[in-house]
Amino acid sequence: MELNEYLYFLRRAFDGMIGALEELGDELANTVPPLAGANSPFAVAYHCTGVADYWIGHIIAGRPVDRDRASEFTAVGTVTDLKSAVDPLFDRLRDDLRGVDAQAAPRNVPPASFEGPDRPLSCAGVQLHVLEELAQHHGQVQITRDVLLNGAVR
């Protein structure tokens, strides 16, 4: 998997989420829609920073990552906060993935509680999982933006 091309698609997902948050503004971006089990768009986008950092940084590269997955879903912040976290994240991801053998086993195995794929993955498989999660959550943020902009708030 070509590194710059892969990171391009991850960045498109993040940029799309950030764009949706900008449309909402900080208050609505932190609003949970009135749907069972829903999260605010900010929390979902913030969760994605945790997904990418953990799965690529820790699982593939073996870098220590201090992650509290449960708190990601209740995170509150500004669009500026999220934007300022994404650039350094991409610097770390680029370093983590530089020279990785896509077919090799990752350095760490994720805990079963992290709800990842239910089979062992190569480094390429982990990268695909991150792309899968970011694409899924990008769509979730867009739909939640539409719900919130149409006045369906708690």
Side-chain angles (χ1 to χ4, degrees):
M1 193 170 311
E2 203 281 319
L3 176 59
N4 290 325
E5 191 170 45
Y6 176 70
L7 291 175
Y8 165 80
F9 282 101
L10 294 189
R11 191 64 195 232
R12 281 175 46 100
F14 272 109
D15 288 348
M17 287 184 272
I18 289 168
L21 296 178
E22 288 174 330
E23 287 179 58
L24 289 167
D26 291 335
E27 184 176 341
L28 278 178
N30 286 285
T31 301
V32 177
L35 305 167
N39 305 104
S40 75
F42 179 88
V44 172
Y46 181 79
H47 165 67
C48 288
T49 65
V51 167
D53 199 36
Y54 180 83
W55 284 85
I56 293 173
H58 181 68
I59 301 300
I60 290 178
R63 175 171 50 82
V65 173
D66 184 25
R67 182 179 186 203
D68 180 354
R69 185 179 182 277
S71 72
E72 293 168 9
F73 295 102
T74 58
V76 174
T78 66
V79 178
T80 301
D81 294 338
L82 188 67
K83 287 168 85 171
S84 68
V86 170
D87 285 338
L89 170 65
F90 271 80
D91 291 341
R92 288 191 306 273
L93 298 179
R94 181 175 308 285
D95 289 344
D96 292 335
L97 291 171
R98 192 171 283 123
V100 165
D101 176 357
Q103 300 313 309
R107 293 190 180 170
N108 290 303
V109 176
S113 64
F114 274 36
E115 301 174 13
D118 60 358
R119 57 176 257 175
L121 298 173
S122 64
C123 289
V126 173
Q127 287 180 257
L128 290 171
H129 173 61
V130 171
L131 181 58
E132 168 191 44
E133 287 293 310
L134 268 57
Q136 169 186 294
H137 289 312
H138 178 197
Q140 181 183 6
V141 167
Q142 290 177 317
I143 289 169
T144 306
R145 173 206 56 207
D146 295 347
V147 167
L148 294 171
L149 288 177
N150 284 300
V153 295
R154 288 186 183 196

